[in-house]
Structures are given as structure tokens and as C-alpha cells.
Amino acid sequence: RQPALSPDGRWIAFSWHGDLWRCPSGGGKAERLTSDPADEQKPAWSPDGRSLAYSSDKRGTRDLYVLDLEKRASRQLTWHSSDDDAPAWSPDGAWIAFQSNRDSNLDLALNDQVWDLWKMPAEGGTAVRVTRFRGENPAWSPDGKSIAYDRYSSGYGDGEHDVFVIAADGCGVPRTVASGAEDSRRPQWKGRALY
């Protein structure tokens, strides 16, 4: 599940039975990267291909971790009582955006316990909120200035998901880039195109 192609195109990381694995993109034997009773998922490659960010519930709630592929050592990145999930590295490797239900829409009581986008330094530090009206599955633009994401088209828990783009600092109004009667989720950038 949740395949992620390495920046050099040589590897595919994925989750299977609660652990992270990788295999050559051309096919071949899969190599297990994590092995513990927790559920690790949603691997995301660092721009240099040396690390994978991922989420795990090994401490109860879901937090973010970074796995150094050479040392095979993980470090915990977030320590929150709410769930943090779906990490995405900025193109320069300095930031990791993610979805979290921490402080979920305190300004909208109707939307309690929903995902919003956050970002934090990749080396650790304080998380900064990016969206205030839902947001899931972040994807950084190649220039690092914007983040694409999906959410319910209405903003509430109904209807189909649409894709939006917002400034990486969270300023301004999100721009709808894919909408309609069909569900649009998990945006991905390839050059200037958004899929």
C-alpha cells in the first residue's frame, strides 16, 4: 500500500502488514525497513533519497518519524496527543508538511476532530498550522512555494473531495484546482503539472 517512488527513480517504498518496505522500481526482492508491532504507513522520500518520513502508532496516537536508510535508525519527529499523518517533504528538504487533527478547527466547533495541514522543520521543532478549514494529503510544489491538498468540497464532512492549492506559509485564500462530481484526492506534482 501507499507506494512512493524514490527521487532517483531506483526504489519504491511502500507499507505492507504494518511495516515499511522497499524494492527496486524495475522489480526484484522487497527489503523490510521496519519491524515492530506498530503500524507504520505512508512513506515519503526525502529529496536526497537518504531518509523516509512516515507515520506510526507505536506510542498510541499516530506520530511522524524519520528513518535514516543508511543507519536503519528512526527518530520521532512529532509528539502530540492527536494524530499526525501523511508526511510530505519540501523540495529543499527543510520542511515536512503533514495532516493532523490537533487543535482541529477550534474556530468551527462543527468540524471537531478533522484533518488540517501543518508543517514543521524536518530536523524537528514547532509545528505551524497551514490550513484552517480542513486539509489532507499534502504535496509540495516543485518551487516549494505552494502546497496542494484535498478536502471535502463543502469543507464539511459531506460531498466529494476537491483539490486545492495554498501558499506554503498558509497565507491567502486556497485556490480550487480540481472540482466536480467526481472524488479528487492525493494530488501529486510532476514538474509544473499537478495530477
Side-chain angles (χ1 to χ4, degrees):
R1 298 174 54 207
Q2 303 143 349
L5 185 65
S6 65
D8 63 7
R10 293 180 51 218
W11 297 95
I12 297 174
F14 60 95
S15 63
W16 187 59
H17 285 275
D19 286 313
L20 299 183
W21 299 68
R22 74 174 178 178
C23 68
S25 59
K29 184 177 178 182
E31 173 188 7
R32 187 182 221 146
L33 301 174
T34 62
S35 180
D36 61 52
D39 178 45
E40 280 96 29
Q41 64 179 19
K42 297 184 181 169
W45 292 90
S46 62
D48 64 9
R50 296 179 179 172
S51 301
L52 285 173
Y54 64 96
S55 68
S56 176
D57 62 0
K58 66 178 74 181
R59 303 258 190 266
T61 58
R62 192 159 286 285
D63 282 302
L64 300 184
Y65 295 78
V66 174
L67 170 66
D68 181 311
L69 291 168
E70 185 178 323
K71 298 177 183 176
R72 295 298 165 94
S74 287
R75 62 181 170 87
Q76 191 167 351
L77 194 61
T78 62
W79 305 77
H80 203 276
S81 58
S82 295
D83 289 321
D84 299 330
D85 201 12
W89 294 79
S90 63
D92 62 5
W95 294 89
I96 293 179
F98 60 98
Q99 65 188 43
S100 179
N101 59 9
R102 60 177 73 193
D103 303 333
S104 46
N105 284 313
L106 296 177
D107 50 340
L108 295 167
L110 180 64
N111 275 357
D112 190 35
Q113 292 301 307
V114 299
W115 299 113
D116 262 308
L117 297 188
W118 294 70
K119 69 176 186 176
M120 67 180 302
E123 293 303 315
T126 302
V128 178
R129 193 173 191 156
V130 178
T131 63
R132 297 200 63 81
F133 196 55
R134 293 189 184 247
E136 301 177 38
N137 303 306
W140 291 82
S141 62
D143 63 7
K145 295 180 179 178
S146 303
I147 300 174
Y149 65 98
D150 63 77
R151 71 163 169 83
Y152 285 111
S153 56
S154 69
Y156 299 96
D158 58 357
E160 304 298 336
H161 273 228
D162 288 345
V163 173
F164 296 80
V165 173
I166 192 170
D169 61 6
C171 292
V173 177
R175 181 171 48 100
T176 308
V177 295
S179 64
E182 300 299 321
D183 212 26
S184 301
R185 295 179 189 246
R186 294 178 182 83
Q188 295 293 315
W189 295 89
K190 180 68 175 173
R192 295 182 61 180
L194 182 62
Y195 294 86

